[in-house]
Structure formats: structure tokens, C-alpha cells
Amino acid sequence: MENFNQPTEERFPKEPSFFEKLSQSVILKVIFIFFLTLVLLIPLEMVNDLIRERKDRGSSVSREIAMKWGTDQVILGPVLAVPYDAIEEKIESLPDGKSKTIQTKVTQYAFLMPNEVKVDGDVKPEVKKRGIYQAILYSTKVDLKGNFSGFDLEKLPVDQADLRWKESKLIVGIEDFKGLSKNPVITWAGKPYEMTKNNQEVRLFRENLTVTVPLEGPESVKQAFSLPLELRGSKSLNFLPLAKQTQIKVKGDWSNPSFNGNFLPEKREVGQSFDALWNIPAFTRKVPQHWSGFPSIIFKFQGLELNSEDRMMSSSEETYMQSQAAANAVASGSNENIETSNDLDLVQINFLPSVNNYQKITRVAKYGILVVGLTFVSLIFMELIKKQKVHVVQYVLIGFGMVLFYGLLLAISEHLGFNWAYLVSALATMALISTYIMGITKNRKSAMLFGVILSIFYLFIYVLLQLQDYSLIVGMIGLFVILAVLMRLSTKIEWNLADRK
């Protein structure tokens, strides 16, 4: 009779709940942590979105500052343009079904590129700040000196008698007139001429400086010129080589220049300041030494980031621009297809910030899921080796603590810079999680061990950022070593016993 009086709970033990099974079963916990790691990709991507948003905001503020000072400057030319009268024929349909040819006198131009141009530039960049954001601005003095060797009249499809020499014009292109500090004065054949803005009559560039130089004939074209310019700009200083032989020499007080475009400098010295030299013949020039027809745009600035992957992505845009320029040249009556040059044809000096916080944070965030995964694996191994249980909810909190590191890094770097922000964020995250582990396990050694593991992970990522060219091989070797250590530790665990209730 005693057996009938036993409590029901003892006869039929209560089945453990799902969370109890999860906390007691190693296999179920590993499966849960795997899915938790995947779920943490969502907040990591939110952090990446925040990084992109702050980066775009910084770029927007930089552009706003640059618009009031001067944008990327491009110096082009000079080009000599000699007008002549041409007859344009059009066929007009009459009401009776017949047609007649109408002849109209129009003005076209014979264009000539310089024989030689020497550019000597001195750039003084500076950093302007607005709140936590900054823009790199510069002031520069550029001297252009060169000469013209004259037309090859035998190849020019224009009668010499039709050329109106006394109305000849010199045309210089400047990308942003806002950056001009004073009115440019060009010296031609020993005489100074003040240049004026003219985008209506002869437009070869987006913004055109022109001046009329009265010539007497073909021989008077063979003259020397000099043009000093004082310009303000931002981000980059660019030159388009248009002469038969172009020499560009630029120096500046900036320790982190980037030489981009279609030509690398022949000589360069970079320290606290830089000095670079280019010698460029006309073989890569898209326009001939001289041509004739209606004026058409021969260069269009797109503002591509030539020091990034944008250069590889711009081939379709370049092809489109060239085909359009060729079509326009044919439609306008030119005797040659004049291709439009663009950013890829420039000599570019880009003034990069000494530290690009957002770029570095983006690279750190790419390793986020790897650090979270390795941290969880290390925590599981510590739990099994030390025989100390960690609840699944505590894994969730630790995971969010790991993700918060990247938000801290972004926020602090905008005020202290990347290096200090990385140190502060890493120490804060290690202290947070280590003290939490100590509260869970009541074991100081376990907490200190886990802090050391986290410090190794964060130090490993920081070293990868500094190596750049060698980051791949060092990263692969580091991961191989970490995997080897984890495999070695796994041999010390009795997995069958660990999962036995």
C-alpha cells in the first residue's frame, strides 16, 4: 500500500524545459550559438549602415566647405583658335516637292595645341574644420610657360587666305573660377593680356578664359607665352597634358599625397612635404596637334576617385563619353573625330587625409563576425574545460557587447581619432565582458583568461590594419594558428561525457 501513496512527481519526473535542455546539452548549445552568430549579423550590418551614413555626412560637409572655397581644380591649355569663314549648306524642301540648297556663311576655327608647356606649381594644403568634420583645402601658385610652333598648313584643310589672324584667341580652361584669387594675365610675345571669362563664343572646356591676340600670319604663331595663376581648391589638383611635350613639376607642404590619373610621376620625393616631376609626350593625347571645325567640348571632369576602385568601374562611362564626343564632332562638321578627355587622362595630385577614420572602421567591421564567432568558441571551450555553465541568455548579452564595440569605435573616433578610439573601445569591451564572466563563474582566473583571449583578438585585427599589403598572408597564418590552438584544446574535452546528463 505504501507504493500507492508515493507522490506523482517522484513516479513521473518532470521533463526538463527546452531552455534547460539547451543549457545542459552541448550539441544544442553549439547549434544555438551558431544561429546566434548569424543573427548578430543584423546589428553588425546596422553598424555598417551607420558608418556609411557618418562617412556620407562627412563627405557632404567637406563638399559644402569646398563649394565656398574652390572645388577640385583642373588646369587645361592654352589652346590657340584662329577663326575663318566657312560655307554651310542645307537642303530645304519646297512646297512643290522640289528642294533647294541654301548656303550660309558660318564661323569655324582652326585649333592649335602648344608645342611645349612647362608647369611649375607650389601647393599649400590646409585642413578646415566644421564641428567634428573636416575638409582639405589648398592654395597654389602655378606658372605655365611654353610656346607654339605654328600650323602645318599643308595638313590643315583650310585655305590660308580665309584665316582671320587678327581675331585669334588663346583659350585656357579652369575647372572652378571661384578658386581664382586674381584676374589672370597671360604674356604673349612679350606683351601682357588680361584674360576674361567667355563660355559663349569658343567653348572647349566647362569654364573658359579667353583673350584675343592679334596675329599677322602663320609665322606670328611661333611665339612663347607665360601665364601665372593663383588658385584655391580642395581635395585634388589636376593637369591635362595637351602640348606636344609637357613637363609638370609640383611641390607642396603635405605628407600624404596620392599621385593618380593616367600618369605616375617620373620622380617623386615624399616626406613632410612632397616634390614630383612628370615628363609627358603627346602620344596618349586624345586630340590632334591641330584640327578645324566648330568648337566642341574636349574635356569633361567627372570627379572620379582615381585612387579607388572607381577607376576600374569607369570604363563604360569613358566609352560612352568618347562615342558621344565623336558623334558631336562629326555632326558639327569637324574633319576629325575629336574624343572627349576625362579624369582618366589627367595628372592628378590628391591630398588625402593623414588618417581616414571611416575607411579603417569599415575594415575593422568586416572582421566583426569572425571576432564574435571566435569569442563564442573560446567561451564554449572555457565552459567545458573549467566545468562552469554559461546560460544561453548570457551568450546573447556577450554577443551584443561584442557588437557594441564597433559602435563605440565609430563614435569615439570622430573625436579622438582612430588609434585612441580603438584602444579605448577595446579596453572598455574587454573590461565589460571580463567582469561579466567573473560575475557568472565567480572565478577571477577565468575572467582574466577570457580578457587575455579578447585582447589577442583585438590586437590581431589592429595589426592586420597596419600591414595593408601583407594583411592577407598574416591574417591567414593567424587564423591557422588560432584554429590549431582550438583543435588542440578540443582534444582535452571528453565530448561524450560533456553532453551526458
Side-chain angles (χ1 to χ4, degrees):
M1 297 297 294
E2 292 180 359
N3 292 336
F4 291 100
N5 294 330
Q6 291 179 353
T8 307
E9 289 79 358
E10 294 181 6
R11 293 173 57 195
F12 304 102
K14 184 179 179 182
E15 185 178 352
S17 67
F18 172 76
F19 285 103
E20 290 174 342
K21 290 181 180 179
L22 189 59
S23 61
Q24 295 172 5
S25 172
V26 175
I27 296 177
L28 287 178
K29 182 174 287 188
V30 169
I31 294 173
F32 173 81
I33 291 172
F34 172 76
F35 282 104
L36 174 61
T37 305
L38 295 181
V39 169
L40 288 176
L41 285 171
I42 297 175
L44 280 173
E45 183 58 31
M46 293 173 66
V47 172
N48 283 323
D49 288 340
L50 183 59
I51 295 171
R52 287 190 287 267
E53 179 186 336
R54 301 296 288 183
K55 182 179 180 181
D56 292 342
R57 172 59 180 162
S59 299
S60 176
V61 172
S62 296
R63 286 193 298 268
E64 186 179 344
I65 297 173
M67 288 297 293
K68 298 177 181 180
W69 176 266
T71 58
D72 303 70
Q73 290 290 7
V74 185
I75 299 174
L76 315 110
V79 179
L80 181 65
V82 182
Y84 63 90
D85 292 329
I87 302 300
E88 186 177 51
E89 295 184 350
K90 291 183 179 180
I91 298 177
E92 182 177 322
S93 300
L94 299 175
D96 59 1
K98 298 181 180 181
S99 60
K100 68 175 182 177
T101 301
I102 299 177
Q103 293 185 338
T104 306
K105 183 185 288 187
V106 295
T107 298
Q108 294 184 353
Y109 290 84
F111 297 99
L112 178 65
M113 294 297 183
N115 177 60
E116 183 183 26
V117 170
K118 291 185 177 180
V119 180
D120 192 357
D122 188 359
V123 191
K124 298 189 180 301
E126 57 181 314
V127 176
K128 295 287 186 181
K129 292 187 176 182
R130 177 180 295 177
I132 61 174
Y133 301 107
Q134 64 181 24
I136 299 175
L137 312 177
Y138 63 81
S139 300
T140 181
K141 292 182 179 180
V142 179
D143 288 326
L144 283 80
K145 295 180 180 179
N147 59 74
F148 287 84
S149 60
F151 289 97
D152 186 348
L153 297 176
E154 293 183 0
K155 296 182 179 180
L156 189 67
V158 180
D159 192 340
Q160 181 179 340
D162 294 333
L163 294 170
R164 307 202 299 262
W165 296 103
K166 292 187 180 297
E167 301 175 32
S168 301
K169 299 180 183 300
L170 283 172
I171 305 157
V172 175
I174 301 293
E175 185 63 25
D176 187 4
F177 278 172
K178 193 186 291 90
L180 284 170
S181 300
K182 64 179 183 179
N183 293 334
V185 176
I186 191 169
T187 300
W188 172 266
K191 295 181 180 180
Y193 297 88
E194 185 173 334
M195 307 194 78
T196 59
K197 177 180 178 178
N198 189 337
N199 286 334
Q200 303 301 322
E201 192 174 354
V202 187
R203 188 177 187 185
L204 300 180
F205 314 109
R206 191 178 78 87
E207 298 284 4
N208 299 265
L209 290 170
T210 63
V211 64
T212 300
V213 286
L215 303 178
E216 299 299 330
E219 291 301 316
S220 62
V221 175
K222 301 176 181 180
Q223 300 290 346
F225 66 87
S226 63
L227 175 62
L229 293 171
E230 293 187 13
L231 282 174
R232 298 190 307 267
S234 60
K235 191 179 176 184
S236 69
L237 176 62
N238 307 268
F239 303 90
L240 180 65
L242 292 176
K244 185 177 291 186
Q245 182 67 40
T246 303
Q247 182 186 88
I248 300 172
K249 185 177 182 181
V250 181
K251 62 181 180 179
D253 299 327
W254 195 252
S255 60
N256 193 30
S258 177
F259 304 108
N260 305 304
N262 202 26
F263 311 92
L264 289 176
E266 183 178 300
K267 298 178 181 178
R268 64 177 178 180
E269 295 179 4
V270 179
Q272 292 302 314
S273 60
F274 72 90
D275 199 332
L277 173 68
W278 293 259
N279 283 299
I280 305 168
F283 298 114
T284 58
R285 190 179 60 190
K286 290 182 177 178
V287 291
Q289 185 65 19
H290 61 75
W291 75 97
S292 61
F294 288 106
S296 60
I297 298 292
I298 64 173
F299 173 79
K300 183 177 180 181
F301 185 66
Q302 297 174 283
L304 298 179
E305 296 286 348
L306 298 184
N307 60 321
S308 72
E309 63 272 11
D310 288 350
R311 178 163 189 163
M312 301 301 296
M313 296 169 60
S314 63
S315 57
S316 60
E317 297 178 9
E318 181 184 16
T319 303
Y320 173 77
M321 289 179 62
Q322 291 177 357
S323 62
Q324 287 297 104
N328 292 339
V330 172
S332 66
S334 296
N335 67 327
E336 297 186 56
N337 293 345
I338 305 301
E339 295 182 356
T340 302
S341 302
N342 57 39
D343 300 33
L344 302 182
D345 302 298
L346 294 173
V347 169
Q348 182 182 86
I349 306 167
N350 199 313
F351 303 101
L352 301 175
S354 55
V355 178
N356 192 328
N357 289 336
Y358 295 114
Q359 183 179 9
K360 288 190 173 183
I361 296 171
T362 300
R363 292 180 62 192
V364 171
K366 289 180 180 179
Y367 297 102
I369 195 64
L370 176 65
V371 175
V372 171
L374 290 176
T375 301
F376 282 160
V377 171
S378 302
L379 189 58
I380 291 175
F381 278 23
M382 188 188 72
E383 180 181 346
L384 295 175
I385 293 173
K386 298 291 185 179
K387 309 298 182 182
Q388 295 169 327
K389 294 293 184 180
V390 180
H391 198 274
V392 292
V393 174
Q394 293 166 335
Y395 274 93
V396 174
L397 294 176
I398 292 172
F400 279 105
M402 300 291 295
V403 173
L404 186 59
F405 163 78
Y406 302 97
L408 282 174
L409 178 60
L410 174 62
I412 298 173
S413 68
E414 292 182 334
H415 299 274
L416 298 182
F418 177 82
N419 291 335
W420 280 109
Y422 194 93
L423 177 62
V424 172
S425 302
L427 290 176
T429 304
M430 288 187 292
L432 173 67
I433 296 178
S434 297
T435 53
Y436 187 56
I437 294 296
M438 187 170 65
I440 296 170
T441 61
K442 311 301 182 184
N443 189 315
R444 186 181 296 272
K445 289 185 178 180
S446 297
M448 292 179 64
L449 174 63
F450 203 77
V452 171
I453 292 173
L454 285 178
S455 65
I456 291 173
F457 290 159
Y458 286 131
L459 181 61
F460 176 61
I461 299 301
Y462 185 81
V463 170
L464 288 183
L465 291 179
Q466 309 307 313
L467 293 176
Q468 295 184 355
D469 294 340
Y470 300 98
S471 60
L472 180 59
I473 185 171
V474 174
M476 291 299 100
I477 293 174
L479 290 177
F480 184 86
V481 172
I482 291 173
L483 179 61
V485 172
L486 293 177
M487 291 174 69
R488 177 63 177 172
L489 289 175
S490 68
T491 61
K492 298 181 177 297
I493 300 173
E494 295 290 342
W495 293 96
N496 292 329
L497 295 177
D499 200 37
R500 190 177 300 168
K501 300 179 181 58

